[in-house]
């Protein structure tokens, strides 16, 4: 069966659907399921981590639950092509140490490469730390907004907490 046969494409679509289900319903108790969805030598990279292997990837998700309150992903779009998938998502959470009553949301995307068994062999998250995180912090946020305005061709920027008009 070739990588682009109808059966193979259906299997990849089903594998991506299982991953989306896992990400959207992930709880601290479910972290153990990552080993069934990720290849043993899978590579994971985001703005803060660059690791390989299921134990290291598991630690990232454990850290997420230890550091944040009520973390959850909402996949808003997905595209599957061959053995790759692209997921656009919202990550909702509250910080434990700063403004714990304030809901936060980061918008980002993930590029996944799946092996022949439909397990993740490469997971790469893309999101803008400056806009989505740093600009929302006291002091650092003021500096980040000033830098965005200074670097903008129009001299204005859209507030990180608002949608464009």
């Amino acid at each position: 069966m070739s990588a682009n046969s109808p059966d193979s494409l259906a299997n990849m679509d089903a594998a991506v659907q299982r991953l989306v289900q896992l990400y959207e319903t992930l709880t601290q108790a479910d972290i153990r399921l990552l080993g069934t969805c990720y290849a043993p030598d899978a590579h994971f990279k985001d703005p803060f981590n660059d690791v390989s292997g299921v134990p290291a990837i598991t630690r990232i998700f454990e850290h997420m639950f230890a550091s944040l309150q009520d973390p959850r992903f909402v996949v808003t779009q997905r595209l599957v092509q061959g053995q790759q998938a692209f997921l656009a998502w919202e990550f909702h959470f509250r910080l434990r140490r700063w403004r714990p009553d304030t809901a936060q949301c980061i918008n980002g995307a993930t590029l996944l490469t799946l092996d022949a068994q439909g397990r993740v062999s490469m997971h790469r998250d893309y999101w803008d730390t400056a806009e989505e995180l740093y600009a929302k912090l006291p002091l650092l946020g003021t500096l980040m907004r000033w830098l965005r305005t200074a670097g903008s061709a129009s001299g204005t920027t859209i507030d990180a907490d608002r949608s464009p008009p």
Side-chain angles (χ1 to χ4, degrees), residues 18-116:
R18 283 190 301 275
L19 286 165
V20 168
Q21 178 73 19
L22 175 67
Y23 296 144
E24 289 189 329
T25 62
L26 189 66
T27 65
Q28 196 162 7
D30 292 333
I31 292 174
R32 62 183 167 69
L33 299 176
L34 294 174
T36 65
C37 296
Y38 283 76
D41 60 345
H43 181 232
F44 179 103
K45 183 171 174 52
D46 70 8
F48 299 110
N49 303 281
D50 189 354
V51 301
S52 292
V54 173
I57 295 168
T58 299
R59 284 191 293 276
I60 291 169
F61 284 92
E62 288 171 343
H63 180 262
M64 175 185 76
F65 280 102
S67 303
L68 304 173
Q69 292 183 46
D70 307 320
R72 69 181 175 86
F73 291 93
V74 176
V75 175
T76 58
Q77 296 179 43
R78 73 182 188 154
L79 176 64
V80 180
Q81 184 174 10
Q83 290 185 247
Q84 291 192 315
F86 184 80
L87 307 175
W89 44 260
E90 296 173 348
F91 179 51
H92 299 270
F93 62 96
R94 289 182 292 127
L95 297 168
R96 289 194 185 278
R97 296 184 184 154
W98 181 71
R99 294 173 48 191
D101 295 332
T102 303
Q104 304 289 334
C105 180
I106 291 174
N107 292 287
T110 299
L111 176 62
L112 300 168
T113 301
L114 306 177
D115 66 14

